[in-house]
Amino acid sequence: MAAPIKVVVTGAAGQIAYSLLYQIASGAVFGPEQPVYLHLLDIAPMMGVLEGVVMELADCALPLLVGVLPTASPEDAFRDVAAAFLVGAMPRKEGMERKDLLSANVRIFKEQGQAIDKVARKDIKVLVVGNPANTNALICSKYAPSIPKENFTAMTRLDQNRAQSQLAAKLGVPVKDVKNVIIWGNHSSTQFPDASNAVVTIGGAEKPVPAAVNDDEFLRNTFVSTVQKRGAAVIAARKMSSALSAAKAASDHMRDWFLGTGDRWVSMGVVSDGSYGTPKDIVFSFPVTTANGKWKIVEGLTISDFARKMLDATGKELAEEKQDALDVCKD
Ligand code: NAD
Ligand code: LMR
């Protein structure tokens, strides 16, 4: 059995955390041989609720869970942690865009970046889930200059999982038989879910998804807008934002980053190096592969004129969000 690692979940008394904590503590993220010590951060008024979550974790009697620290102190929460799930932030309500949350949420990520910089392990892996996730991740990284910027990522895995599921349904195949669908850009309604390089296994043979679907109109319109608007559709139905699927996606993201993807592509918001003509120094979702705890952008993909327009639109939105966030953080 490996030595335990410390893992922090923020927003630990909230609804995503309620599904996520079990997945982390049961071994679904860091593997069945990796004990974890959970640090649970929430705000002071939520400490009573958090106490109930701590009781429930104890009552799960999970062999890999070696300890739990509930706290309202960012410095206690981030001390010596190897992995951080930054979930704690306000969710949007019906009729809002995720970027409408920026002024309310971005300061949380400034403060947490500063705490990470001070007390976390220098090889910490940070996944930002709280919206607007890409820009919050950028701000968190900016306020943690002693940690490599590659260690800050934003979650677009839920969009990837949604896209994969939509394609599997269209093709009438199990979801595991669809791979390499890409989410480009922002976790917002400008994101570009791109099936042009996706592959499906049908009757034991791999086939490009565009050929198997054979419906360009569907792939450019219905598919793209269904995935772009799926979060809003869940809010309209549940009157609360996605939680079960968001927790599953957060687990998928961190597991793949820690344990590796092989040659399978996954989408992650990462600090852009300008790949594929995107603006540098924004957190942009790219297709990546991971190995030995590091991600690498998939290179050499052809970008069609249609894709170019979509990448430019989502990149422009992220550049604007970045400016707005920097203005808020000046105060
Ligand atoms: P929630 O309201 O149920 O829980 C949020 C929790 O965060 C609350 O317990 C709150 O007290 C806590 N919190 C607030 N400020 C905090 C701070 N400074 N430090 C620590 N904790 C703090 O919300 P939820 O449904 O769990 O969603 C959380 C966030 O995740 C929202 O911003 C939501 O929009 C976002 N989200 C992102 C994705 C994605 O795909 N990236 C998917 C779903 C939800
Ligand atoms: C989602 O995609 O479900 C989340 O980002 C919540 C939201 O506001 O849509």
Side-chain angles (χ1 to χ4, degrees):
M1 202 55 94
I5 53 169
K6 293 183 176 168
V7 176
V8 63
V9 176
T10 74
Q15 50 151 2
I16 294 177
Y18 197 68
S19 292
L20 177 60
L21 292 173
Y22 175 77
Q23 296 182 45
I24 299 170
S26 66
V29 179
F30 300 102
E33 301 294 325
Q34 179 58 66
V36 291
Y37 194 114
L38 274 176
H39 287 191
L40 307 181
L41 178 68
D42 212 294
I43 52 175
M46 295 302 282
M47 288 301 108
V49 175
L50 194 55
E51 201 45 52
V53 175
V54 174
M55 286 184 221
E56 286 209 66
L57 279 169
D59 297 348
C60 287
L62 292 161
L64 290 173
L65 183 60
V66 297
V68 181
L69 172 73
T71 179
S73 154
E75 287 200 11
D76 291 346
F78 289 111
R79 185 159 291 113
D80 299 330
V81 295
F85 293 82
L86 304 191
V87 180
M90 190 192 288
R92 68 173 164 156
K93 305 264 178 341
E94 217 170 337
M96 292 169 78
E97 287 294 330
R98 297 182 187 95
K99 65 182 164 198
D100 298 334
L101 297 168
L102 199 142
S103 57
N105 286 343
V106 78
R107 284 188 193 85
I108 297 174
F109 294 86
K110 172 181 173 180
E111 185 196 23
Q112 293 182 356
Q114 288 166 329
I116 288 170
D117 198 50
K118 211 162 155 191
V119 298
R121 275 170 54 160
K122 296 299 172 199
D123 64 350
I124 182 177
K125 290 181 170 52
V126 179
L127 165 60
V128 174
V129 175
N131 279 318
N134 298 53
T135 300
N136 288 337
L138 182 75
I139 293 300
C140 198
S141 156
K142 286 221 169 298
Y143 283 92
S146 69
I147 313 278
K149 59 183 190 303
E150 293 76 21
N151 296 23
F152 292 84
T153 61
M155 189 165 96
T156 52
R157 184 56 172 268
L158 177 53
D159 308 293
Q160 177 194 316
N161 289 348
R162 288 167 172 164
Q164 202 174 326
S165 172
Q166 290 295 322
L167 292 174
K170 175 79 175 169
L171 290 164
V173 299
V175 78
K176 69 174 176 44
D177 290 346
V178 176
K179 65 174 186 184
N180 295 355
V181 61
I182 299 169
I183 304 298
W184 299 97
N186 200 0
H187 174 61
S188 78
S189 53
T190 67
Q191 68 178 265
F192 176 35
D194 177 8
S196 60
N197 294 283
V199 173
V200 57
T201 304
I202 299 181
E206 287 198 341
K207 197 171 177 183
V209 162
V213 170
N214 194 23
D215 183 349
D216 276 357
E217 173 63 19
F218 168 82
L219 289 177
R220 285 188 176 199
N221 294 306
T222 313
F223 166 67
V224 168
S225 75
T226 301
V227 178
Q228 285 175 331
K229 294 179 189 154
R230 188 68 159 188
V234 171
I235 292 171
R238 253 170 56 85
K239 310 299 170 208
M240 284 193 292
S241 64
S242 63
L244 181 71
S245 55
K248 161 66 167 54
S251 298
D252 288 346
H253 178 122
M254 194 63 92
R255 182 200 61 229
D256 284 346
W257 196 2
F258 260 79
L259 303 181
T261 57
D263 60 4
R264 192 171 39 91
W265 306 351
V266 295
S267 291
M268 287 169 56
V270 300
V271 178
S272 171
D273 61 354
S275 288
Y276 294 104
T278 58
K280 285 188 185 166
D281 200 29
I282 54 172
V283 170
F284 193 96
S285 178
F286 289 101
V288 302
T289 54
T290 67
N292 304 317
K294 306 228 177 286
W295 53 263
K296 185 171 177 303
I297 295 174
V298 175
E299 290 171 356
L301 301 177
T302 302
I303 303 296
S304 67
D305 292 347
F306 173 71
R308 182 75 268 150
K309 273 194 216 141
M310 301 295 281
L311 263 68
D312 288 349
T314 196
K316 181 169 177 285
E317 180 183 51
L318 280 166
E320 289 164 4
E321 271 186 28
K322 172 184 170 181
Q323 198 46 57
D324 291 347
L326 291 173
D327 289 346
V328 171
C329 288
K330 264 192 229 144
D331 308 341

